[in-house]
Amino acid sequence: DTEVTQTPKHLVMGMTNKKSLKCEQHMGHRAMYWYKQKAKKPPELMFVYSYEKLSINESVPSRFSPECPNSSLLNLHLHALQPEDSALYLCASSQYNEQFFGPGTRLTVL
Amino acid sequence: KQEVTQIPAALSVPEGENLVLNCSFTDSAIYNLQWFRQDPGKGLTSLLLIQSSQREQTSGRLNASLDKSSGRSTLYIAASQPGDSATYLCAVRFTRGSTLGRLYFGRGTQLTVWP
C-alpha cells in the first residue's frame, strides 16, 4: 500500500473560521510533509515532521499550525487565513527515499 | 544555491510521438532524483525514482536517465498517448541542504498529447 490519504478534498472557509486538514499514511514512513501549491507553480515546502517531531518550519505564518498526533497522522490547523492562502495543500510521506504524495485539499479562503 | 530547471515549460505533440523532457540541477552532489506526474488540481504521482548510484530507471513506456556530472536528467516517453497529457515535475534531493528528504522542484513541463 503506497497511499497517502487527505481529507477533505475541498474546503471553503471565511477569514474568521477555524478548520483542519488531515493526512494519513500506513506505510510506516517516519517523515511527513506539508506543501502548498499555487496554480502553475511547483509545490512549496511548509513543514517537515520526523519521528513525530517538527523538524522544519519554512517560516510559515502562525495562522498555519501543524500537528502530528502519531506516526500515521498529520494535521494542519487553519485559523484567520487570508484570501492569498487559497491553494492546493499537499501532504507527503517518505522513509528517506521515494516521497509519496496525497491527492491534496483544495482550499478557498473567502 | 540548489536549483532545478525544467525545459521546455510546455510541449504539444501528436499522439504516437516519442518525446524527451529535460531536467537540470545546479549541484551534482545529489542523493536521488524523482519524476512526478500531476494532473490538473490533483496530487503528485511518483513515476520514477533514480538513486545517485544509478544511470537510469524504466517503467513501461517511461525511461529516466541521470547524468550527475553534467547535472542532467531526462524523462523519455515512448509512443505518447492523449492520456499522458499532464504536468511532469522533476524533484531533486541534494546531499547538501536536503535534510529530512527535502526535495527541490523544477517548475514542470506541461505536456499535451493530441489525437
Side-chain angles (χ1 to χ4, degrees), chain A residues 45-72:
Chain A
L45 184 65
M46 300 174 72
F47 302 105
V48 180
Y49 273 83
S50 177
Y51 290 87
E52 300 156 52
K53 292 185 179 177
L54 181 63
S55 301
I56 294 179
N57 177 339
E58 289 291 310
S59 302
V60 178
S62 59
R63 57 186 183 268
F64 295 92
S65 175
E67 177 197 21
C68 190
N70 60 55
S71 60
S72 300

mmCIF file of all heavy atoms in Angstrom, chain A residues 45-72:
data_model
loop_
_atom_site.group_PDB
_atom_site.id
_atom_site.type_symbol
_atom_site.label_atom_id
_atom_site.label_comp_id
_atom_site.label_asym_id
_atom_site.label_seq_id
_atom_site.Cartn_x
_atom_site.Cartn_y
_atom_site.Cartn_z
ATOM 1 N N LEU A 45 7.539 23.737 0.100
ATOM 2 C CA LEU A 45 7.580 23.062 1.389
ATOM 3 C C LEU A 45 7.164 24.005 2.513
ATOM 4 O O LEU A 45 7.608 25.149 2.567
ATOM 5 C CB LEU A 45 8.993 22.539 1.647
ATOM 6 C CG LEU A 45 9.206 21.718 2.910
ATOM 7 C CD1 LEU A 45 8.424 20.410 2.846
ATOM 8 C CD2 LEU A 45 10.685 21.445 3.128
ATOM 9 N N MET A 46 6.280 23.488 3.410
ATOM 10 C CA MET A 46 5.861 24.278 4.575
ATOM 11 C C MET A 46 6.470 23.713 5.858
ATOM 12 O O MET A 46 7.124 24.427 6.612
ATOM 13 C CB MET A 46 4.338 24.267 4.691
ATOM 14 C CG MET A 46 3.597 24.842 3.511
ATOM 15 S SD MET A 46 1.818 24.638 3.671
ATOM 16 C CE MET A 46 1.442 25.821 4.970
ATOM 17 N N PHE A 47 6.208 22.438 6.119
ATOM 18 C CA PHE A 47 6.637 21.802 7.355
ATOM 19 C C PHE A 47 7.123 20.381 7.069
ATOM 20 O O PHE A 47 6.641 19.729 6.153
ATOM 21 C CB PHE A 47 5.467 21.690 8.347
ATOM 22 C CG PHE A 47 4.807 22.980 8.718
ATOM 23 C CD1 PHE A 47 3.569 23.311 8.185
ATOM 24 C CD2 PHE A 47 5.412 23.859 9.614
ATOM 25 C CE1 PHE A 47 2.955 24.499 8.528
ATOM 26 C CE2 PHE A 47 4.804 25.052 9.959
ATOM 27 C CZ PHE A 47 3.569 25.377 9.412
ATOM 28 N N VAL A 48 8.059 19.931 7.926
ATOM 29 C CA VAL A 48 8.507 18.541 7.896
ATOM 30 C C VAL A 48 8.464 18.001 9.316
ATOM 31 O O VAL A 48 8.977 18.629 10.245
ATOM 32 C CB VAL A 48 9.945 18.384 7.348
ATOM 33 C CG1 VAL A 48 10.348 16.912 7.334
ATOM 34 C CG2 VAL A 48 10.066 18.977 5.959
ATOM 35 N N TYR A 49 7.850 16.831 9.466
ATOM 36 C CA TYR A 49 7.880 16.101 10.725
ATOM 37 C C TYR A 49 8.736 14.863 10.541
ATOM 38 O O TYR A 49 8.604 14.133 9.553
ATOM 39 C CB TYR A 49 6.471 15.682 11.156
ATOM 40 C CG TYR A 49 5.748 16.717 11.959
ATOM 41 C CD1 TYR A 49 5.075 17.761 11.336
ATOM 42 C CD2 TYR A 49 5.746 16.674 13.351
ATOM 43 C CE1 TYR A 49 4.412 18.732 12.075
ATOM 44 C CE2 TYR A 49 5.094 17.632 14.107
ATOM 45 C CZ TYR A 49 4.430 18.663 13.459
ATOM 46 O OH TYR A 49 3.780 19.618 14.200
ATOM 47 N N SER A 50 9.609 14.639 11.510
ATOM 48 C CA SER A 50 10.422 13.443 11.516
ATOM 49 C C SER A 50 10.235 12.756 12.857
ATOM 50 O O SER A 50 10.466 13.379 13.903
ATOM 51 C CB SER A 50 11.895 13.792 11.304
ATOM 52 O OG SER A 50 12.702 12.638 11.378
ATOM 53 N N TYR A 51 9.837 11.498 12.816
ATOM 54 C CA TYR A 51 9.548 10.767 14.053
ATOM 55 C C TYR A 51 8.639 11.589 14.973
ATOM 56 O O TYR A 51 8.893 11.721 16.179
ATOM 57 C CB TYR A 51 10.852 10.364 14.760
ATOM 58 C CG TYR A 51 11.598 9.289 14.002
ATOM 59 C CD1 TYR A 51 12.487 9.616 12.988
ATOM 60 C CD2 TYR A 51 11.383 7.947 14.297
ATOM 61 C CE1 TYR A 51 13.146 8.624 12.271
ATOM 62 C CE2 TYR A 51 12.046 6.939 13.589
ATOM 63 C CZ TYR A 51 12.921 7.293 12.584
ATOM 64 O OH TYR A 51 13.576 6.301 11.886
ATOM 65 N N GLU A 52 7.607 12.134 14.368
ATOM 66 C CA GLU A 52 6.524 12.850 15.063
ATOM 67 C C GLU A 52 6.975 14.166 15.695
ATOM 68 O O GLU A 52 6.208 14.760 16.467
ATOM 69 C CB GLU A 52 5.867 11.946 16.111
ATOM 70 C CG GLU A 52 5.260 10.696 15.483
ATOM 71 C CD GLU A 52 5.128 9.543 16.477
ATOM 72 O OE1 GLU A 52 4.557 9.779 17.555
ATOM 73 O OE2 GLU A 52 5.586 8.426 16.159
ATOM 74 N N LYS A 53 8.163 14.617 15.364
ATOM 75 C CA LYS A 53 8.633 15.912 15.868
ATOM 76 C C LYS A 53 8.791 16.890 14.711
ATOM 77 O O LYS A 53 9.311 16.519 13.644
ATOM 78 C CB LYS A 53 9.967 15.752 16.600
ATOM 79 C CG LYS A 53 9.865 14.979 17.897
ATOM 80 C CD LYS A 53 11.191 14.965 18.629
ATOM 81 C CE LYS A 53 11.066 14.203 19.945
ATOM 82 N NZ LYS A 53 12.354 14.106 20.670
ATOM 83 N N LEU A 54 8.356 18.123 14.936
ATOM 84 C CA LEU A 54 8.503 19.155 13.920
ATOM 85 C C LEU A 54 9.980 19.454 13.732
ATOM 86 O O LEU A 54 10.659 19.869 14.667
ATOM 87 C CB LEU A 54 7.738 20.407 14.326
ATOM 88 C CG LEU A 54 7.782 21.564 13.328
ATOM 89 C CD1 LEU A 54 7.130 21.179 12.010
ATOM 90 C CD2 LEU A 54 7.114 22.807 13.915
ATOM 91 N N SER A 55 10.453 19.240 12.517
ATOM 92 C CA SER A 55 11.877 19.390 12.251
ATOM 93 C C SER A 55 12.190 20.566 11.345
ATOM 94 O O SER A 55 13.274 21.120 11.402
ATOM 95 C CB SER A 55 12.423 18.103 11.631
ATOM 96 O OG SER A 55 12.214 17.005 12.493
ATOM 97 N N ILE A 56 11.265 20.900 10.452
ATOM 98 C CA ILE A 56 11.460 22.033 9.552
ATOM 99 C C ILE A 56 10.176 22.858 9.514
ATOM 100 O O ILE A 56 9.088 22.323 9.327
ATOM 101 C CB ILE A 56 11.831 21.586 8.123
ATOM 102 C CG1 ILE A 56 13.191 20.903 8.100
ATOM 103 C CG2 ILE A 56 11.827 22.780 7.168
ATOM 104 C CD1 ILE A 56 13.615 20.400 6.720
ATOM 105 N N ASN A 57 10.321 24.154 9.708
ATOM 106 C CA ASN A 57 9.230 25.105 9.534
ATOM 107 C C ASN A 57 9.780 26.181 8.618
ATOM 108 O O ASN A 57 10.665 26.936 9.001
ATOM 109 C CB ASN A 57 8.811 25.690 10.888
ATOM 110 C CG ASN A 57 7.724 26.757 10.755
ATOM 111 O OD1 ASN A 57 7.525 27.351 9.693
ATOM 112 N ND2 ASN A 57 7.026 27.002 11.825
ATOM 113 N N GLU A 58 9.265 26.213 7.388
ATOM 114 C CA GLU A 58 9.797 27.134 6.383
ATOM 115 C C GLU A 58 9.229 28.540 6.556
ATOM 116 O O GLU A 58 8.664 29.111 5.620
ATOM 117 C CB GLU A 58 9.510 26.598 4.977
ATOM 118 C CG GLU A 58 10.345 25.388 4.616
ATOM 119 C CD GLU A 58 11.803 25.743 4.454
ATOM 120 O OE1 GLU A 58 12.136 26.706 3.739
ATOM 121 O OE2 GLU A 58 12.638 25.058 5.080
ATOM 122 N N SER A 59 9.362 29.077 7.762
ATOM 123 C CA SER A 59 8.907 30.452 8.029
ATOM 124 C C SER A 59 7.452 30.655 7.629
ATOM 125 O O SER A 59 7.078 31.661 7.020
ATOM 126 C CB SER A 59 9.783 31.465 7.275
ATOM 127 O OG SER A 59 11.134 31.326 7.653
ATOM 128 N N VAL A 60 6.645 29.670 7.981
ATOM 129 C CA VAL A 60 5.226 29.735 7.641
ATOM 130 C C VAL A 60 4.495 30.591 8.684
ATOM 131 O O VAL A 60 4.783 30.482 9.883
ATOM 132 C CB VAL A 60 4.627 28.308 7.622
ATOM 133 C CG1 VAL A 60 3.141 28.332 7.312
ATOM 134 C CG2 VAL A 60 5.371 27.441 6.607
ATOM 135 N N PRO A 61 3.556 31.438 8.262
ATOM 136 C CA PRO A 61 2.814 32.273 9.232
ATOM 137 C C PRO A 61 2.121 31.426 10.284
ATOM 138 O O PRO A 61 1.705 30.290 10.017
ATOM 139 C CB PRO A 61 1.801 33.002 8.347
ATOM 140 C CG PRO A 61 2.391 32.992 6.986
ATOM 141 C CD PRO A 61 3.173 31.724 6.872
ATOM 142 N N SER A 62 1.973 31.988 11.473
ATOM 143 C CA SER A 62 1.424 31.237 12.603
ATOM 144 C C SER A 62 -0.055 30.901 12.432
ATOM 145 O O SER A 62 -0.589 30.112 13.219
ATOM 146 C CB SER A 62 1.615 32.042 13.900
ATOM 147 O OG SER A 62 0.960 33.286 13.790
ATOM 148 N N ARG A 63 -0.709 31.457 11.441
ATOM 149 C CA ARG A 63 -2.100 31.078 11.189
ATOM 150 C C ARG A 63 -2.206 29.640 10.660
ATOM 151 O O ARG A 63 -3.292 29.075 10.591
ATOM 152 C CB ARG A 63 -2.770 32.054 10.224
ATOM 153 C CG ARG A 63 -2.094 32.218 8.884
ATOM 154 C CD ARG A 63 -2.803 33.328 8.093
ATOM 155 N NE ARG A 63 -2.258 33.502 6.760
ATOM 156 C CZ ARG A 63 -1.300 34.357 6.467
ATOM 157 N NH1 ARG A 63 -0.769 35.112 7.419
ATOM 158 N NH2 ARG A 63 -0.877 34.484 5.214
ATOM 159 N N PHE A 64 -1.059 29.052 10.303
ATOM 160 C CA PHE A 64 -0.965 27.635 9.958
ATOM 161 C C PHE A 64 -0.275 26.925 11.121
ATOM 162 O O PHE A 64 0.863 27.265 11.465
ATOM 163 C CB PHE A 64 -0.142 27.420 8.687
ATOM 164 C CG PHE A 64 -0.757 27.990 7.451
ATOM 165 C CD1 PHE A 64 -0.443 29.279 7.040
ATOM 166 C CD2 PHE A 64 -1.632 27.241 6.684
ATOM 167 C CE1 PHE A 64 -1.004 29.820 5.894
ATOM 168 C CE2 PHE A 64 -2.196 27.769 5.530
ATOM 169 C CZ PHE A 64 -1.882 29.055 5.134
ATOM 170 N N SER A 65 -0.946 25.918 11.689
ATOM 171 C CA SER A 65 -0.382 25.235 12.845
ATOM 172 C C SER A 65 -0.394 23.732 12.592
ATOM 173 O O SER A 65 -1.451 23.108 12.560
ATOM 174 C CB SER A 65 -1.202 25.566 14.094
ATOM 175 O OG SER A 65 -0.734 24.838 15.191
ATOM 176 N N PRO A 66 0.790 23.114 12.421
ATOM 177 C CA PRO A 66 0.808 21.681 12.162
ATOM 178 C C PRO A 66 0.773 20.876 13.448
ATOM 179 O O PRO A 66 1.126 21.367 14.536
ATOM 180 C CB PRO A 66 2.153 21.486 11.443
ATOM 181 C CG PRO A 66 3.032 22.521 12.064
ATOM 182 C CD PRO A 66 2.136 23.694 12.387
ATOM 183 N N GLU A 67 0.350 19.624 13.298
ATOM 184 C CA GLU A 67 0.312 18.724 14.441
ATOM 185 C C GLU A 67 0.507 17.301 13.947
ATOM 186 O O GLU A 67 -0.044 16.925 12.912
ATOM 187 C CB GLU A 67 -1.044 18.835 15.156
ATOM 188 C CG GLU A 67 -1.222 17.893 16.332
ATOM 189 C CD GLU A 67 -2.674 17.737 16.759
ATOM 190 O OE1 GLU A 67 -3.578 18.014 15.949
ATOM 191 O OE2 GLU A 67 -2.895 17.323 17.903
ATOM 192 N N CYS A 68 1.264 16.504 14.690
ATOM 193 C CA CYS A 68 1.482 15.107 14.327
ATOM 194 C C CYS A 68 1.098 14.239 15.524
ATOM 195 O O CYS A 68 1.954 13.948 16.369
ATOM 196 C CB CYS A 68 2.923 14.873 13.922
ATOM 197 S SG CYS A 68 3.243 13.252 13.183
ATOM 198 N N PRO A 69 -0.174 13.825 15.639
ATOM 199 C CA PRO A 69 -0.628 13.100 16.828
ATOM 200 C C PRO A 69 0.018 11.724 16.986
ATOM 201 O O PRO A 69 0.205 11.258 18.102
ATOM 202 C CB PRO A 69 -2.137 12.942 16.584
ATOM 203 C CG PRO A 69 -2.478 13.911 15.520
ATOM 204 C CD PRO A 69 -1.255 14.093 14.690
ATOM 205 N N ASN A 70 0.329 11.068 15.858
ATOM 206 C CA ASN A 70 1.025 9.786 15.901
ATOM 207 C C ASN A 70 1.750 9.578 14.582
ATOM 208 O O ASN A 70 1.695 10.426 13.691
ATOM 209 C CB ASN A 70 0.047 8.639 16.206
ATOM 210 C CG ASN A 70 -1.052 8.505 15.178
ATOM 211 O OD1 ASN A 70 -0.790 8.373 13.980
ATOM 212 N ND2 ASN A 70 -2.306 8.540 15.632
ATOM 213 N N SER A 71 2.399 8.434 14.446
ATOM 214 C CA SER A 71 3.267 8.222 13.284
ATOM 215 C C SER A 71 2.512 8.095 11.971
ATOM 216 O O SER A 71 3.126 8.146 10.911
ATOM 217 C CB SER A 71 4.120 6.960 13.496
ATOM 218 O OG SER A 71 3.281 5.828 13.655
ATOM 219 N N SER A 72 1.192 7.957 12.018
ATOM 220 C CA SER A 72 0.413 7.790 10.784
ATOM 221 C C SER A 72 -0.385 9.023 10.401
ATOM 222 O O SER A 72 -0.885 9.106 9.284
ATOM 223 C CB SER A 72 -0.590 6.622 10.930
ATOM 224 O OG SER A 72 0.071 5.417 11.185
#
